[in-house]
Amino acid sequence: MSDIARMSFPPDPSGPRGATRAKVDRTRRPWWTRLGPSLLLTAGLAGCQGRQAVLNPMGEDAASLATLFWVMLGGAVVLWLLVTGLFIYVTRFRTTEMSRRWAEALIIGGGVIFPTTVLAGLLSYSLPLMATQRTEGDGVVVHVTGEQWWWRVTYETPEGARVVSANEIRLPVGARTTFRLTANQVIHSFWIPALGGKTDMIPGRENWMSLKPTEAGLFRGQCTEFCGASHALMAFEVEAMAPEDFEAWLDREARDAAPPASAAAERGAALFAAEGCGACHTVRGTDAIGRVGPDLTHVGSRHSIGAGILPNDVEAIADWIERTEHLKPEVDMPQYDHLPREALLDLGRYLKGLE
Ligand code: CUA
């Protein structure tokens, strides 16, 4: 949005009418240069590129949705051309009165039979596509709960083991993974545009869907149901990996946290305990067993922090702890702005080391 807001729109070159018209016309630019801002705006809004793009599919479900979009667009363009062509024909070329037989044929053929056929065709093409995302996967099941404003993520293996994580989802490429979705307080909506459609997350209810990434890569997911002050700041990273890499990653994710590896990280760990962080956060293998906030056992290995809003490095972690309420308005986590910067950096070094 900020790019669009920064774009400048030139004043209307057609200018005032009447006496000054001739003067204004001399400075007139070619008509097509006036299209520039509109085209830029359209391209920006369409968002056809990047790792959160519906029309840049990286999964089976997103690919069928993209095809559906193009088929629908094609159908709409054909209809528009036909109707416009007909309109031009009867207003410009066919100036004599039409016979009653022709007029009736035009109304029934063009107004009833043609649109019914086209719409029925598009409907029968699109309806079967809905079934795919309702196919159960046979690998891990990913349970995701929408919180204010972050994502609680639990992987359930076919053997029944559960691995708790947060704010990031990793998936095996080529396999269909089932998502079981719910929410804690208000309705959220789970959407990974590059992989497929969206599903609402509703408190007290479990919805489900499945997704099948077809290419490895890093994508972005976003909450798409207005859920409060920081709705727009409720995102997550999605990494689709080769199946063997995914297995190895899940193995590591299931382990307890690594002990602090430096003196600074040790100071950070002591501070983490002293400031009571463990009342809300879990770091498996330590005394921190809180369940209010995101599990931090392997937070250092994630691609971002704060639910997709900051890079994952020591400086950003320190910034986050110091200014949570500024960075994510109305978030539950209080900001620790009473701590000196060096202490915040030690906390950052400890958390970044939790890989
Ligand atoms: Cu969660 Cu919008």
Side-chain angles (χ1 to χ4, degrees):
M1 279 310 282
S2 57
D3 285 339
I4 293 167
R6 276 201 298 274
M7 282 191 324
S8 60
F9 291 86
D12 181 0
S14 63
R17 311 227 166 237
T20 58
R21 180 65 186 271
K23 191 180 169 193
V24 171
D25 277 352
R26 274 206 300 277
T27 61
R28 208 166 181 167
R29 289 178 297 150
W31 64 270
W32 49 267
T33 61
R34 281 174 290 148
L35 279 180
S38 322
L39 289 177
L40 271 178
L41 186 67
T42 312
L45 289 177
C48 305
Q49 290 297 319
R51 56 200 195 97
Q52 191 183 297
V54 177
L55 297 181
N56 188 20
M58 295 290 168
E60 200 174 82
D61 312 272
S64 56
L65 287 175
T67 309
L68 177 65
F69 170 82
W70 291 116
V71 169
M72 290 275 186
L73 185 70
V77 168
V78 168
L79 281 178
W80 184 82
L81 286 176
L82 274 168
V83 172
T84 311
L86 213 53
F87 177 74
I88 293 173
Y89 172 71
V90 296
T91 53
R92 293 287 166 115
F93 300 102
R94 171 104 194 190
T95 45
T96 55
E97 199 174 300
M98 222 175 238
S99 73
R100 188 182 172 82
R101 198 164 142 257
W102 266 109
E104 278 180 1
L106 196 62
I107 289 169
I108 294 170
V112 180
I113 298 174
F114 182 70
T116 308
T117 312
V118 171
L119 292 177
L122 287 176
L123 191 68
S124 59
Y125 171 75
S126 62
L127 280 182
L129 294 180
M130 290 166 71
T132 331
Q133 268 191 201
R134 299 291 291 174
T135 311
E136 288 252 26
D138 54 4
V140 293
V141 174
V142 185
H143 301 258
V144 189
T145 305
E147 303 278 353
Q148 300 305 92
W149 289 268
W150 59 280
W151 313 83
R152 191 185 294 276
V153 181
T154 305
Y155 297 82
E156 184 186 350
T157 66
E159 297 76 40
R162 285 184 171 239
V163 179
V164 179
S165 185
N167 293 335
E168 185 166 288
I169 288 170
R170 304 216 184 191
L171 298 170
V173 170
R176 183 160 284 281
T177 300
T178 300
F179 290 85
R180 300 211 162 264
L181 308 166
T182 188
N184 195 3
Q185 289 157 298
V186 301
I187 299 176
H188 302 268
S189 188
F190 180 85
W191 193 25
I192 309 167
L195 297 186
K198 62 180 88 164
T199 300
D200 275 2
M201 312 171 96
I202 300 169
R205 183 191 157 91
E206 189 179 81
N207 286 338
W208 72 274
M209 68 187 295
S210 68
L211 293 171
K212 182 178 177 181
T214 47
E215 288 185 51
L218 192 61
F219 317 120
R220 187 174 185 273
Q222 168 67 42
C223 179
T224 54
E225 180 82 36
F226 181 72
C227 52
S230 286
H231 154 69
L233 301 172
M234 186 170 173
F236 57 103
E237 307 282 336
V238 182
E239 185 174 351
M241 333 165 70
E244 58 277 16
D245 293 344
F246 174 77
E247 289 300 326
W249 170 82
L250 193 60
D251 239 31
R252 286 198 305 276
E253 192 74 4
R255 291 182 202 155
D256 283 351
S262 68
E266 259 169 41
R267 288 197 300 273
L271 208 52
F272 189 88
E275 291 291 328
C277 306
C280 292
H281 295 284
T282 291
V283 178
R284 290 195 303 273
T286 74
D287 292 337
I289 51 167
R291 290 210 7 104
V292 179
D295 186 297
L296 299 178
T297 307
H298 297 287
V299 66
S301 65
R302 290 178 200 151
H303 294 287
S304 66
I305 60 160
I309 64 169
L310 290 175
N312 191 354
D313 57 49
V314 172
E315 289 280 337
I317 297 173
D319 288 346
W320 169 252
I321 299 169
E322 188 180 18
R323 306 176 63 232
T324 45
E325 289 157 23
H326 287 83
L327 293 165
K328 188 168 282 201
E330 295 186 21
V331 72
D332 285 340
M333 178 172 157
Q335 54 190 27
Y336 287 73
D337 48 7
H338 57 282
L339 294 175
R341 185 69 187 172
E342 201 43 48
L344 291 161
L345 289 171
D346 283 345
L347 270 170
R349 290 180 191 112
Y350 167 56
L351 292 169
K352 184 61 194 164
L354 298 178
E355 289 193 328

